[in-house]
Amino acid sequence: MEKIKIGISSCLLGEKVRYDGGHKWDRYITDTLGEYFDWLPVCPEVEYGLTIPRESMHMVGGFDNPRLITTRTGIDHTEGMLEWVKNKLKILEQVDLNGFIFKSRSPSSGIGGVTVYTPSGMPGRKGAGLFGGAFLRRFPLVPAIDDGRLHDPSLRENFIERVFVYKRWKELFRNNATRKDLISFHTKHKLLIMSHSPKHLAALGQLVAGSKIYKQKNLMRQYIELLMEGLQLLATANKNTNVLSHIAGYFKSVLSSDDKMELLEVIKNYHKGYVPLVVPVVLINHYVRTFDQPYLKEQFYLNPHPIELMLRNHV
Ligand code: SF4
């Protein structure tokens, strides 16, 4: 499989670019995700021109317009950094990014949870860093997460699932997708979308059904915006159970009563939290292969990302 291009805060790869000359190497990122992702490292502070080591910085001032200021000597780097951010975002527009993993809590790279201090030095509200925040505004469809959230199994699974969906979408778009291609894309993602948001599935279904009334470009734009919005909602045990029960219905007439009971029991055990999601999914995939179920074998819900990542072993 060709590796997927993902942006990443350089220090998470082990690059010694932090203010203290250190790094924040995350071995899960390099050793596990690195098998599938091709990294594009970005360190805003070093690329902007600051030295290693350097004085640490924090955000100070109003929540909507905080300044990036060094903590000891009070040097204001806001204007210079904003100029760098503007140019960097233009460069990133030309790169085929399918996601971005940011360093958490950094006043430059963070995408949330960054403390903004009052001018008197008291910790105030939390927001995004200068680069992280600008990236989210410029590329709202690109899946983004920080390293803190990446270690939550549900958020990690959600992020990686979105990366793979977004990549498939871009491939479709690159190949000048027709309305027929969009319908096929939507059909294969139906159960996946249902596991995140039945409401978004219904809205996307309506959009696709009425696709003839939209101009092609508008249709594609509306579809991907709605899709990525829906996928950001977490697939909970209740929502997954709903999808799994729906899938079980496809085998009603082909399974023996013992096998049907076993399948329902496995789904129930998942719902109660006794087994992870991978258990009912493996059993269902076995039946999909055995009975060659044409609709289900195309559903990305049953194979959303490489099994070696073991993302569904923990949710
Ligand atoms: S958090 Fe961002 S700015 Fe700080 S060292 Fe890491 S990549 Fe560079």
Side-chain angles (χ1 to χ4, degrees):
M1 189 185 90
E2 194 193 331
K3 287 193 177 184
I4 301 173
K5 181 75 90 189
I6 301 285
I8 187 157
S9 298
S10 309
C11 54
L12 292 173
L13 295 179
E15 293 181 16
K16 294 183 175 173
V17 288
R18 282 177 54 90
Y19 72 95
D20 58 1
H23 57 71
K24 282 285 174 183
W25 189 3
D26 186 317
R27 285 186 180 271
Y28 175 75
I29 289 177
T30 54
D31 300 357
T32 302
L33 297 184
E35 292 287 317
Y36 302 93
F37 294 167
D38 175 26
W39 306 116
L40 177 81
V42 179
C43 177
E45 293 176 16
V46 170
E47 291 183 33
Y48 155 60
L50 298 177
T51 56
I52 310 167
R54 58 187 171 275
E55 196 181 340
S56 61
M57 298 192 283
H58 60 185
M59 312 279 277
V60 180
F63 180 73
D64 293 331
N65 259 325
R67 320 267 327 155
L68 184 63
I69 293 182
T70 59
T71 48
R72 193 169 45 81
T73 55
I75 299 170
D76 190 335
H77 286 293
T78 315
E79 301 311 326
M81 182 59 94
L82 285 176
E83 190 57 30
W84 175 84
V85 167
K86 200 168 98 190
N87 292 330
K88 187 69 183 183
L89 293 180
K90 274 192 203 141
I91 294 168
L92 292 179
E93 272 172 21
Q94 311 305 319
V95 182
D96 187 27
L97 277 188
N98 295 287
F100 207 115
I101 302 176
F102 291 89
K103 177 72 196 80
S104 58
R105 298 193 301 273
S106 156
S108 306
S109 299
I111 51 171
V114 182
T115 305
V116 180
Y117 290 84
T118 64
S120 61
M122 297 298 289
R125 287 169 64 184
K126 293 184 189 296
L130 284 193
F131 172 63
F135 183 95
L136 295 187
R137 289 190 293 279
R138 176 64 195 83
F139 305 109
L141 298 178
V142 177
I145 195 166
D146 64 34
D147 63 317
R149 293 185 179 110
L150 191 68
H151 288 283
D152 176 304
S154 300
L155 300 178
R156 175 167 66 216
E157 206 255 338
N158 176 283
F159 169 71
I160 293 172
E161 201 177 272
R162 284 187 288 134
V163 165
F164 277 88
V165 171
Y166 191 57
K167 179 177 175 285
R168 285 193 288 274
W169 170 261
K170 289 209 303 188
E171 276 161 9
L172 186 78
F173 210 66
R174 243 195 316 272
N175 296 330
N176 295 324
T178 61
R179 284 184 165 80
K180 204 170 145 211
D181 295 327
L182 176 66
I183 291 167
S184 161
F185 178 92
H186 178 67
T187 304
K188 290 175 191 168
H189 287 85
K190 270 185 180 172
L191 297 182
L192 189 80
I193 305 166
M194 191 198 254
S195 71
H196 290 269
S197 169
K199 201 175 107 198
H200 283 79
L201 177 63
L204 286 162
Q206 275 175 12
L207 190 64
V208 172
S211 63
K212 288 206 175 89
I213 61 173
Y214 296 98
K215 286 212 170 101
Q216 180 84 348
K217 212 170 150 197
N218 290 347
L219 171 67
M220 294 296 187
R221 186 78 204 168
Q222 281 194 51
Y223 184 88
I224 188 64
E225 282 177 3
L226 203 51
L227 175 64
M228 296 313 281
E229 180 187 282
L231 295 183
Q232 284 209 39
L233 302 171
L234 286 186
T236 60
N238 277 344
K239 288 188 252 181
N240 276 318
T241 301
N242 181 30
V243 176
L244 295 168
S245 307
H246 176 80
I247 292 175
Y250 281 83
F251 301 109
K252 237 180 4 205
S253 55
V254 288
L255 287 182
S256 68
S257 39
D258 272 0
D259 288 344
K260 258 187 278 187
M261 288 234 314
E262 188 201 8
L263 178 57
L264 294 178
E265 192 65 23
V266 167
I267 294 172
K268 201 159 89 186
N269 285 339
Y270 160 70
H271 188 230
K272 287 183 173 167
Y274 300 155
V275 296
L277 180 57
V278 66
V279 176
V281 167
V282 164
L283 183 58
I284 285 169
N285 269 325
H286 166 69
Y287 289 138
V288 170
R289 280 193 303 276
T290 305
F291 299 107
D292 198 24
Q293 218 300 323
Y295 173 71
L296 293 179
K297 78 180 179 192
E298 295 213 303
Q299 288 300 309
F300 283 111
Y301 178 76
L302 294 171
N303 292 294
H305 30 60
I307 194 156
E308 293 83 354
L309 286 173
M310 300 193 297
L311 297 168
R312 285 176 158 179
N313 297 35
H314 310 286
V315 293

